[in-house]
Amino acid sequence: MNTLTYCNLNASKLVVFCLSLVIFTGCGNVLNDVENLSSYPATGTFDDAATTNAYLSNLYYSTLNGWPVNSGNNADESGGINGEGWITTENTAMKFWPYDAIRKINILLKELPNSPIPADKKDPIIGQAKFLRAFLYFKMVYYHGGVPIIEVPQEVTDDLLVKRNSTAECFDFILKELDEAAALLPPKYDGADRGRIDQASTYAFKGRVLLYKASPQFNSANPYDNAYWSDAYNANKAAKDFLDQHGYGLLDDYTQVFETEGHRENILSVIFEEPAKTNGRQEHAVRPLSESKNATGGDQPIWAFAEAFPMKDGKKPGDPTSEYTYSIQRFWENRDPRFDAIMVWNGATYELSGIAGRRQYTMNVIAKSMDVFGFSIQGETAYRTGLFTRKGIQEALPSAQAELNDVDWPEIRYAEVLFNYAEAANETGRSDESLEVLKAIRRRAGITEGADGLFGLKANMSRAEMRQAILDEKRIEFAFEGQRFWDLRRHRMLHLLDGMHKYGIMATAVNGRTPQNLTADDIAKGNAFELLPEDFTYEVVELITNGPKEMVMPESYYFFPIQLTHINQNSNLEQNVGWGGNFNPEL
């Protein structure tokens, strides 16, 4: 039984223990995030391998989450619109301050070295805890810049009015933690230990950290020629080489990445397994409402995202050199095969709830009312984009059981390491290596190679063109995996989102007939899934919503503010520049 999926470890007494870990601290005071500093695990907790592993499982649970539903709303993937006031110093949007979880990790790292548990059992636990602490600090740093580094469990007698460490000091700490973790971990966990942090995940994550450190987000004065890019290249090349040596790589079928588990592409997986741990994908919130329960609207692709997919030969839609013609009226035809793997459009086959031959409709009268573009639900106008996603969805689940989805979340997968390596290679004068990565990604996707062997990519790209090609490719490859917004942000490209209006694709007629003059037979055919996508007429329409129409992404969003509550409770915490303070979050 996987200790990272189940807390009980086949021992009922540990169920109680593990539940107690969830509640033994609250939110509010160590760095304004721990309510009771006197709380501490019971004596003997770390004297036994089973209870220590249960404690560790709780740390995994509080650190690594599931699929980031609706993160595409922040960017140009899905339909939500973040207008004026999305982020303020007072609200909780884009704030990350997990010192409660860090204190729990610090307790383990303080107590476990003195445990009688044998070193060969103890050291890997310490290594995993150090990785988790680095993971939390890294997220705080790319949210806020430098934060206070706390390495011991603070007590009520300690000085809690700590200052922020510099961003450089935080990166040094994170990288030290990862190096120390790797020294204590085995190269690769699998089998019953699948999902545990190992050297493979540590090296891959170190590459991610160094990519951010080199990025324009932290180096606005010298975004692409700073010395950190060499560190990022070396780390990501080393990670790729290590992964290749230990059997990792791209799967042959893109769809199988998200529909199978325990495969060679997932480096660090968050394990979901029905009935013990489910709904990491939050499928009930992503499905069309007609085949869901309690929620819908998540991860609805916008038209700009649909247009971003190339044709099957890798050329952009409408490119006169493409062997495929493109028309909005047949926008789904001859596209990059990932389009079919990710997108669901009006009339497309989408066999939810195991309904054989089921087609998804979005046109008024033909579709079930709750799936219609712009349909008003309970008085509010909930946006519909005319598109849904099938990525990570377990289509056979009945609607009443949509929350039982147990697809694993790939926190780190091999394709990300390739993209990180490609970015760093390009910025260090190795664009030929970057090109090989893009070709490998497109080959796996099913894009045709072409006579020139470039899979539709431009020959002899400049450094800037290659940079953009990498970002464009990653946008598609990692659709709805929570990467797009952060990629634009670390490249200081939020101006591409600022002022953006979002659009969907609306079916306006079927065989020339509008909703006003459709016959009962037309409607019956729709309900019987006989109408095909090409039977409809389409129009690009701005999303219908009662909320804001325009995205707002000011320069200040490159570093988010620390929540005012924490600032008010700790006079030594400086606020970021751009948010009323003087702290410089860059390197």
Side-chain angles (χ1 to χ4, degrees):
M1 186 170 291
N2 192 300
T3 58
L4 303 182
T5 304
Y6 303 99
C7 253
N8 62 10
L9 301 174
N10 290 325
S12 59
K13 67 177 181 179
L14 293 183
V15 174
V16 177
F17 174 80
C18 202
L19 289 174
S20 71
L21 290 177
V22 177
I23 62 172
F24 86 91
T25 56
C27 294
N29 229 345
V30 82
L31 292 175
N32 314 317
D33 194 38
V34 178
E35 183 175 291
N36 187 354
L37 291 177
S38 64
S39 294
Y40 218 79
T43 300
T45 294
F46 301 106
D47 292 345
D48 176 79
T51 54
T52 301
N53 271 302
Y55 189 98
L56 179 66
S57 293
N58 185 265
L59 299 180
Y60 271 84
Y61 180 80
S62 60
T63 303
L64 302 175
N65 307 121
W67 290 71
V69 173
N70 274 337
S71 66
N73 289 357
N74 304 335
D76 47 10
E77 280 185 323
S78 56
I81 298 174
N82 294 315
E84 194 72 44
W86 170 43
I87 296 173
T88 69
T89 57
E90 290 85 2
N91 68 19
T92 59
M94 292 301 182
K95 311 295 191 302
F96 191 67
W97 207 247
Y99 283 98
D100 181 47
I102 287 171
R103 182 171 191 265
K104 294 175 185 177
I105 295 171
N106 289 343
I107 289 172
L108 181 148
L109 292 175
K110 176 184 177 182
E111 300 294 339
L112 192 55
N114 301 317
S115 166
I117 298 173
D120 64 330
K121 303 291 185 184
K122 182 165 50 179
D123 288 351
I125 295 174
I126 293 172
Q128 292 168 75
K130 281 183 167 290
F131 177 100
L132 293 173
R133 186 163 67 176
F135 188 95
L136 291 171
Y137 270 101
F138 174 59
K139 187 172 179 178
M140 279 197 287
V141 167
Y142 73 74
Y143 267 55
H144 306 295
V147 294
I149 298 173
I150 307 296
E151 299 185 66
V152 297
Q154 289 185 306
E155 306 294 343
V156 291
T157 54
D158 293 338
D159 179 8
L160 304 182
L161 301 181
V162 293
K163 295 181 178 181
R164 296 176 69 172
N165 287 82
S166 70
T167 298
E169 289 171 334
C170 287
F171 271 117
D172 288 346
F173 172 70
I174 292 163
L175 294 168
K176 178 179 72 72
E177 288 285 274
L178 293 176
D179 288 342
E180 292 176 359
L184 297 170
L185 293 167
K188 181 179 181 179
Y189 278 121
D190 53 20
D193 287 321
R194 182 173 66 86
R196 284 188 179 274
I197 293 156
D198 49 24
Q199 286 182 0
S201 46
T202 302
Y203 294 146
F205 185 69
K206 182 178 179 180
R208 182 193 291 182
V209 170
L210 283 167
L211 191 77
Y212 269 79
K213 183 180 180 182
S215 73
Q217 180 189 359
F218 291 95
N219 303 276
S220 62
N222 188 12
Y224 293 115
D225 292 310
N226 63 73
Y228 303 129
W229 281 107
S230 291
D231 296 335
Y233 173 79
N234 292 333
N236 282 290
K237 177 67 163 58
K240 177 186 177 298
D241 291 345
F242 181 90
L243 295 169
D244 291 344
Q245 293 165 11
H246 287 85
Y248 291 95
L250 295 175
L251 292 186
D252 295 333
D253 182 349
Y254 177 79
T255 302
Q256 291 303 304
V257 177
F258 315 101
E259 295 186 0
T260 59
E261 59 186 27
H263 53 69
R264 68 177 183 270
E265 186 156 344
N266 279 4
I267 299 166
L268 178 58
S269 299
V270 179
I271 309 297
F272 291 89
E273 188 170 344
E274 200 274 328
K277 185 178 180 182
T278 60
N279 207 28
R281 180 63 179 105
Q282 298 183 51
E283 180 169 328
H284 68 294
V286 176
R287 284 185 175 208
L289 189 56
S290 62
E291 291 298 332
S292 186
K293 58 176 290 189
N294 300 332
T296 190
D299 290 352
Q300 286 190 30
I302 59 173
W303 180 245
F305 182 57
E307 283 199 307
F309 286 77
M311 306 304 288
K312 193 172 182 180
D313 62 358
K315 301 295 182 67
K316 292 182 179 180
D319 185 333
T321 67
S322 173
E323 63 180 282
Y324 301 103
T325 58
Y326 174 73
S327 166
I328 288 177
Q329 301 307 321
R330 297 288 185 95
F331 64 87
W332 59 89
E333 291 183 343
N334 300 315
R335 304 298 290 276
D336 173 343
R338 288 171 296 186
F339 192 93
D340 290 3
I342 294 169
M343 309 287 273
V344 179
W345 56 95
N346 180 64
T349 301
Y350 195 22
E351 296 181 336
L352 290 173
S353 303
I355 302 172
R358 179 187 179 276
R359 291 183 180 275
Q360 179 64 53
Y361 298 109
T362 62
M363 180 180 168
N364 189 21
V365 179
I366 295 297
K368 292 189 176 180
S369 60
M370 61 282 290
D371 297 344
V372 168
F373 189 109
F375 183 72
S376 180
I377 302 173
Q378 296 179 352
E380 81 279 9
T381 303
Y383 72 81
R384 296 285 184 272
T385 70
L387 299 164
F388 295 94
T389 185
R390 66 175 84 243
K391 190 172 186 178
I393 300 298
Q394 292 183 312
E395 297 180 21
L397 288 174
S399 59
Q401 298 178 15
E403 292 172 319
L404 297 184
N405 177 303
D406 61 356
V407 173
D408 289 350
W409 161 241
E411 175 59 46
I412 307 176
R413 61 183 179 97
Y414 184 81
E416 183 199 338
V417 176
L418 289 183
F419 276 101
N420 295 347
Y421 163 56
E423 279 197 41
N426 183 55
E427 304 305 344
T428 54
R430 302 175 176 91
S431 61
D432 55 331
E433 296 177 35
S434 306
L435 180 61
E436 290 305 310
V437 167
L438 294 184
K439 288 164 64 175
I441 293 291
R442 288 195 163 197
R443 182 182 295 111
R444 189 272 289 279
I447 291 174
T448 55
E449 184 172 359
D452 59 4
L454 291 176
F455 297 87
L457 296 162
K458 180 182 176 181
N460 302 315
M461 283 185 275
S462 68
R463 183 185 183 191
E465 288 173 329
M466 178 61 77
R467 183 185 304 137
Q468 190 61 52
I470 293 168
L471 286 172
D472 290 346
E473 194 69 30
K474 190 178 180 187
R475 179 184 183 187
I476 294 166
E477 175 72 21
F478 281 85
F480 305 112
E481 294 181 60
Q483 298 260 8
R484 177 63 174 172
F485 172 73
W486 304 105
D487 286 342
L488 291 175
R489 183 172 176 261
R490 66 183 172 83
H491 278 278
R492 289 188 173 260
M493 292 182 175
L494 292 183
H495 61 276
L496 299 177
L497 304 177
D498 193 43
M500 178 184 184
H501 288 236
K502 294 188 175 182
Y503 296 82
I505 186 75
M506 183 166 68
T508 59
V510 55
N511 294 326
R513 294 185 293 281
T514 65
Q516 288 70 37
N517 59 22
L518 284 171
T519 67
D521 184 54
D522 290 317
I523 297 169
K525 284 182 179 179
N527 290 333
F529 312 127
E530 295 178 11
L531 291 170
L532 304 177
E534 55 266 32
D535 292 328
F536 294 81
T537 303
Y538 298 94
E539 180 182 351
V540 177
V541 176
E542 186 166 8
L543 299 189
I544 301 169
T545 172
N546 285 337
K549 293 285 190 180
E550 185 174 278
M551 296 281 280
V552 176
M553 292 281 170
E555 285 282 318
S556 59
Y557 283 9
Y558 288 117
F559 289 97
F560 301 132
I562 294 174
Q563 193 171 7
L564 192 59
T565 301
H566 303 312
I567 298 288
N568 289 339
Q569 292 179 350
N570 181 352
S571 58
N572 286 329
L573 276 183
E574 288 187 80
Q575 185 60 276
N576 281 334
V577 171
W579 293 98
N582 296 313
F583 188 89
N584 180 6
E586 293 194 47
L587 288 168

